[in-house]
Amino acid sequence: MSIAERIMTRHSELDNPLKHLFRAVSIGLVLTLSAQASATAESTDTAYEPVAPTVDQARANILIARQLQFTHFRDMGINDDLSSDVFDAYLDYLDGQHIYLTQEDINQFSAVRDSLGSALKTGQLQPGFDIYNLVQQRIIERLNFAINVIESGIDKLDFETDEQILVDRSEADWEADAAALDNLWIKRIKNAVLAQRLNGSDDEEITKALLRRYEGQLKRTRQARSEDAFQAYMNAFAGMWDPHTSYFSPRTSENFNINMSLSLEGIGAVLQSDNEYTKVVRLVPGGPASKQGQLQPADRIVSVRQEDKEEAVNVIGWRLDEVVDLIRGPKQSTVTLEVIPSDAADETVTKTIAIKRDEVKLEEQSASSDVIELDRSGKTFRIGVITIPTFYADFKAMQDGDPNYKSTTRDVRNLINDLKQEGIDGIVMDVRNNGGGALHEANDLVGLFIEEGPTVQIRNSNNDVKVLEDQDPSVTYDGPLVVLVNRMSASASEIFAGAIQDYGRGLVVGSQTFGKGTVQAVRPLNHGQLKITQSKFYRVSGGSTQHKGVIPDIEIPSRVDKTRIGEDALDHALPWDQIEAVPHERYFDFSGVIDELRVRHDERFAEHPEFRLLQKEIDFLKQQREKTTVSLNLVEREAYQSQVERARLTIANARREIRGEEPFDTLEQLDDWQDMQAADVDSTDDDLDFIIEEGGNIMADMLELDQRMASILTPKQITAQARSH
């Protein structure tokens, strides 16, 4: 039986409402293949069984549609315009790099582009499943084509031509037909071969590695389940409202609940699907990956190897829950991840990271403190530094009535009191890389620095506004304050930093924060769960933390690529907007000193060797990211890789010179040293973080420029002077 006949038989049994369209697509599928791909498709005809929707999924679809229309924060109906957007998002989810489908395929589906909305309203899932089945069939054809090319001998590939390949094809046009796609895939294979040759692998090793990769992906594709299609389709649909609204299948719901309870023994990383890859969203503070230090947000996982296995398992194309299961494992065992770094020039650049699994312990997420001393013109300033990795609370101990239960606010209050006993002149609060946590802890933490007053506003989809307040008039610390933030400071961190800024209680220093200003609720369905955005955060000054985040008073550039990480980098993110401010005190007006503070900061950083090096790294990473193509010519590629390696080695050795350490002679020495450092999770870097040092220097500037803060006045005194300023 031919592909078209088999698919049509299956769909006639399902009473497919799009059978005429699907017949055209299926016949087109056969007719447009090259002879080689056609033969391959025939040989795998029985390998893929098209998946079909279930009654439970149809019911869940109807419930999801109702929830999205009537309870989501964004007021949006389901219409023809939405249908087209869902269509594009669904194809992007299934083939985000435009490497499986052709323009001919897209044209054949044009009839359903404008009708998906009405079908989704009423639980008619077949159109989405038809698209899914065709994409899986196309993936099988492409993978078989790649396997045939590799088995024919990679030594036959030509690396002397002046060819280029796009690094990112997400915005590229679809290839016209199967023949054009064949040419693209030959380029992709050449790119993969080149990358591995330049990493020192011989052709036999490369052949085995690529065959293992493509055959593994082929196996997973053939095992596609109805739930895979449904989850992909529902997430494309739900993602129209905002990127944090998503559907969890029953299996994914189980993993979500495990992660929320922090009882998972694993690496301490939050993962999500990103087309064919599993991507790192964030690291759990105090978790194994965070302490190991090499894994970073936006890294994409290529393979996973257990400590008792010689070969890694390629996980490209795997379901998220299966990747999570593979990474999860016994405490103290080691898992090795091969990842495409977030700053890699293209997807052929990978590195391996070994992480020892462990539980994420609450005490390892706890706030901590230190004291730094800065000499200025004969005077020594003692600056307290409090680092807060996350906003935490031991809810169980709290419910059990334990008077000594741990929480962010309780711990920070104790640390502040200890620092005051040590005679500090000011405090730097470090919430860099703090992805949020317990909202009430952010509210209570603000209360340590102000008298009673509002801390954050929360508006729901009915435009009802709830104001959270600090109702405790006591102030734990009334002296000079700096808050350090970066792009990975999100949610509760942004609420805290924004409130400190709005109250004029301290200066915010660093880079623009993430911009996560929405609140989600998880709602059960008859089949799985729906995580849906229901509210939005607003600062006491009225501006939302959504999309824009918190803009620092003094900015320090970051290595993080804001076009890839942050709320404004996400599709369909809710916009920034503003509501009415709520009455609040203004403790200090920095307008009289901020310009001078910025001038001093700029002058200091211009001469600081660590900052100059940071700027070099940022420029280097920017050049890498701006490179849209890579050469498939061996000589050109070797020259480019040598240039990149020299830049990496130069930057690493410049940092070692600053620290008085011997330089590395080769890149291999650098890589070996980094692996050794990462493997020692108990090692600490005694060198002062120069950004913390700069926070202290800005504090010292504040003390020098304004004696009102040098004497650590009470909030009421500061308020009175600020008003007269």
Side-chain angles (χ1 to χ4, degrees):
M1 183 182 290
S2 71
I3 297 172
E5 289 171 336
R6 193 186 66 79
I7 293 177
M8 284 309 304
T9 299
R10 173 65 175 160
H11 284 270
S12 63
E13 292 170 358
L14 297 172
D15 192 24
N16 178 7
L18 293 180
K19 63 183 179 181
H20 297 300
L21 171 64
F22 199 83
R23 179 181 291 114
V25 173
S26 303
I27 292 171
L29 182 154
V30 176
L31 294 179
T32 57
L33 292 176
S34 67
Q36 183 182 30
S38 295
T40 303
E42 288 292 343
S43 68
T44 60
D45 181 33
T46 58
Y48 177 71
E49 182 71 19
V51 295
T54 67
V55 172
D56 283 344
Q57 290 169 350
R59 289 173 180 163
N61 172 202
I62 293 171
L63 291 174
I64 290 169
R66 289 175 181 169
Q67 295 267 18
L68 293 173
Q69 288 183 95
F70 303 120
T71 65
H72 195 281
F73 184 87
R74 175 175 261 158
D75 183 14
M76 188 168 71
I78 300 175
N79 52 33
D80 290 347
D81 289 339
L82 184 74
S83 293
S84 182
D85 289 340
V86 171
F87 179 85
D88 290 334
Y90 189 36
L91 290 181
D92 184 56
Y93 188 93
L94 297 174
D95 186 12
Q97 287 295 307
H98 299 185
I99 58 175
Y100 299 119
L101 296 175
T102 66
Q103 187 60 52
E104 289 179 350
D105 296 326
I106 306 303
N107 294 342
Q108 287 169 341
F109 276 126
S110 61
V112 299
R113 174 184 283 276
D114 297 327
S115 61
L116 292 183
S118 58
L120 285 163
K121 265 186 179 181
T122 54
Q124 297 176 48
L125 295 169
Q126 196 61 54
F129 273 67
D130 287 343
I131 294 172
Y132 182 87
N133 284 326
L134 180 62
V135 173
Q136 300 313 298
Q137 194 67 48
R138 290 295 196 232
I139 292 173
I140 289 172
E141 293 160 9
R142 285 296 113 204
L143 294 173
N144 275 311
F145 176 83
I147 290 169
N148 286 339
V149 170
I150 295 165
E151 288 180 338
S152 297
I154 60 175
D155 58 316
K156 297 177 182 177
L157 297 172
D158 184 0
F159 295 102
E160 296 181 359
T161 58
D162 194 21
E163 288 183 311
Q164 303 277 327
I165 187 170
L166 273 176
V167 172
D168 179 9
R169 284 187 49 82
S170 59
E171 300 296 327
D173 293 335
W174 301 96
E175 295 295 339
D177 51 32
L181 212 51
D182 286 350
N183 292 330
L184 171 63
W185 270 81
I186 289 173
K187 285 185 176 183
R188 284 172 56 82
I189 294 166
K190 289 170 69 172
N191 189 36
V193 171
L194 262 182
Q196 293 195 42
R197 279 185 179 174
L198 293 176
N199 284 338
S201 299
D202 60 35
D203 282 4
E204 183 178 353
E205 293 172 321
I206 295 170
T207 298
K208 287 180 179 178
L210 292 180
L211 285 176
R212 188 163 56 243
R213 168 180 174 175
Y214 291 131
E215 287 169 353
Q217 194 176 348
L218 184 61
K219 180 181 177 182
R220 308 309 300 177
T221 305
R222 289 170 176 164
Q223 294 173 347
R225 304 174 303 191
S226 174
E227 200 58 48
D228 300 331
F230 182 64
Q231 182 162 286
Y233 196 25
M234 287 305 99
N235 278 321
F237 179 40
M240 293 295 99
W241 274 259
D242 88 303
H244 303 291
T245 295
S246 57
Y247 168 73
F248 297 155
S249 69
R251 176 69 185 280
T252 307
S253 299
E254 178 186 342
N255 280 316
F256 176 77
N257 294 333
I258 290 173
N259 286 330
M260 289 301 289
S261 70
L262 286 180
S263 64
L264 172 65
E265 287 186 0
I267 64 170
V270 178
L271 310 175
Q272 72 178 28
S273 292
D274 181 28
N275 293 313
E276 295 178 310
Y277 294 97
T278 298
K279 183 173 74 174
V280 178
V281 179
R282 64 181 176 86
L283 305 180
V284 178
S290 176
K291 291 192 293 183
Q292 197 266 6
Q294 286 185 303
L295 194 67
Q296 297 296 320
D299 286 355
R300 290 173 290 169
I301 300 173
V302 173
S303 70
V304 179
R305 183 172 65 81
Q306 311 300 337
E307 66 179 6
D308 58 344
K309 305 289 185 183
E310 290 187 7
E311 291 190 355
V313 177
N314 188 285
V315 295
I316 297 174
W318 279 39
R319 289 180 284 271
L320 178 62
D321 58 343
E322 293 180 333
V323 177
V324 170
D325 283 346
L326 203 59
I327 294 174
R328 186 184 296 164
K331 183 178 177 180
Q332 297 304 308
S333 62
T334 299
V335 61
T336 301
L337 307 181
E338 180 188 6
V339 304
I340 302 170
S342 58
D343 58 1
D346 69 273
E347 64 182 28
T348 64
V349 177
T350 66
K351 68 177 180 180
T352 57
I353 302 172
I355 303 172
K356 184 175 287 187
R357 299 179 177 105
D358 203 347
E359 291 181 3
V360 179
K361 300 180 179 68
L362 183 60
E363 58 268 24
E364 292 178 347
Q365 300 182 9
S366 299
S368 60
S369 67
D370 200 356
V371 175
I372 61 175
E373 295 186 350
L374 300 172
D375 294 324
R376 291 289 191 89
S377 303
K379 177 175 174 56
T380 299
F381 291 104
R382 290 173 56 79
I383 309 299
V385 179
I386 296 178
T387 302
I388 306 177
T390 186
F391 286 86
Y392 54 89
D394 189 342
F395 293 107
K396 185 178 186 303
M398 190 190 309
Q399 291 167 353
D400 292 343
D402 183 350
N404 299 313
Y405 72 86
K406 283 183 66 64
S407 76
T408 300
T409 306
R410 282 168 165 255
D411 289 349
V412 171
R413 182 187 290 114
N414 292 335
L415 293 172
I416 289 173
N417 288 332
D418 291 343
L419 289 171
K420 288 196 296 188
Q421 291 294 319
E422 295 189 44
I424 45 94
D425 297 299
I427 288 179
V428 173
M429 300 289 291
D430 187 359
V431 293
R432 291 174 300 163
N433 303 314
N434 183 323
L439 174 60
H440 74 271
E441 287 299 320
N443 173 69
D444 293 347
L445 189 66
V446 175
L448 299 184
F449 304 96
I450 66 168
E451 293 185 319
E452 54 191 335
T455 60
V456 66
Q457 304 183 75
I458 306 172
R459 180 164 72 101
N460 65 20
S461 57
N462 295 324
N463 289 322
D464 297 325
V465 178
K466 176 183 178 181
V467 180
L468 296 188
E469 297 189 13
D470 164 45
Q471 299 178 339
D472 183 356
S474 66
V475 178
T476 302
Y477 178 72
D478 55 16
L481 187 66
V482 165
V483 179
L484 293 180
V485 297
N486 64 6
R487 189 61 163 177
M488 299 310 298
S489 302
S491 195
S493 297
E494 296 174 290
I495 290 170
F496 171 71
I500 294 299
Q501 194 176 55
D502 288 341
Y503 273 92
R505 186 58 193 82
L507 282 179
V508 177
V509 176
S511 52
Q512 181 183 9
T513 61
F514 192 94
K516 169 68 166 62
T518 56
V519 185
Q520 287 72 41
V522 178
R523 297 182 177 171
L525 304 166
N526 67 303
H527 186 77
Q529 295 175 310
L530 180 69
K531 180 161 69 79
I532 187 169
T533 297
Q534 60 180 14
S535 308
K536 202 171 180 181
F537 290 131
Y538 294 83
R539 293 164 58 156
V540 294
S541 56
S544 175
T545 56
Q546 168 62 18
H547 207 280
K548 183 187 288 188
V550 177
I551 307 299
D553 300 297
I554 297 177
E555 187 164 356
I556 296 176
S558 168
R559 298 179 184 88
V560 175
D561 180 7
K562 293 200 295 185
T563 66
R564 295 189 185 188
I565 298 176
E567 190 76 8
D568 52 3
L570 302 175
D571 291 335
H572 306 290
L574 293 177
W576 179 89
D577 63 343
Q578 196 164 9
I579 60 175
E580 289 187 14
V582 289
H584 59 283
E585 294 285 353
R586 181 75 181 172
Y587 287 89
F588 189 79
D589 181 2
F590 289 97
S591 62
V593 296
I594 191 64
D595 287 342
E596 178 63 20
L597 288 173
R598 287 171 179 156
V599 167
R600 290 189 178 199
H601 160 74
D602 290 342
E603 289 176 348
R604 191 163 46 242
F605 258 32
E607 298 301 320
H608 198 298
E610 285 274 13
F611 175 70
R612 291 202 301 268
L613 185 57
L614 171 64
Q615 197 60 59
K616 284 183 180 179
E617 284 186 278
I618 292 171
D619 293 342
F620 170 68
L621 293 173
K622 184 179 179 182
Q623 289 175 359
Q624 294 287 93
R625 291 191 287 260
E626 288 177 348
K627 191 172 179 60
T628 58
T629 63
V630 292
S631 175
L632 299 179
N633 180 283
L634 177 59
V635 175
E636 289 184 19
R637 190 67 164 269
E638 285 176 332
Y640 173 70
Q641 178 154 316
S642 295
Q643 176 188 350
V644 171
E645 290 176 350
R646 283 196 303 272
R648 277 189 60 204
L649 190 60
T650 299
I651 291 171
N653 281 337
R655 178 163 286 112
R656 290 181 71 80
E657 182 181 353
I658 291 170
R659 299 178 178 183
E661 298 169 343
E662 288 293 319
F664 296 113
D665 294 327
T666 65
L667 193 67
E668 287 74 19
Q669 287 182 1
L670 168 61
D671 290 336
D672 291 343
W673 178 84
Q674 288 178 332
D675 290 342
M676 184 176 63
Q677 290 293 105
D680 185 5
V681 296
D682 297 321
S683 67
T684 57
D685 188 348
D686 294 329
D687 291 305
L688 177 64
D689 180 337
F690 83 96
I691 302 230
I692 289 180
E693 180 185 19
E694 179 58 16
N697 276 314
I698 291 170
M699 175 74 68
D701 291 340
M702 291 163 59
L703 295 169
E704 286 183 344
L705 289 171
D706 200 314
Q707 291 303 309
R708 286 169 298 180
M709 301 191 73
S711 57
I712 311 183
L713 303 176
T714 67
K716 286 187 176 180
Q717 289 173 312
I718 297 174
T719 301
Q721 292 200 25
R723 286 170 177 165
S724 64
H725 185 72

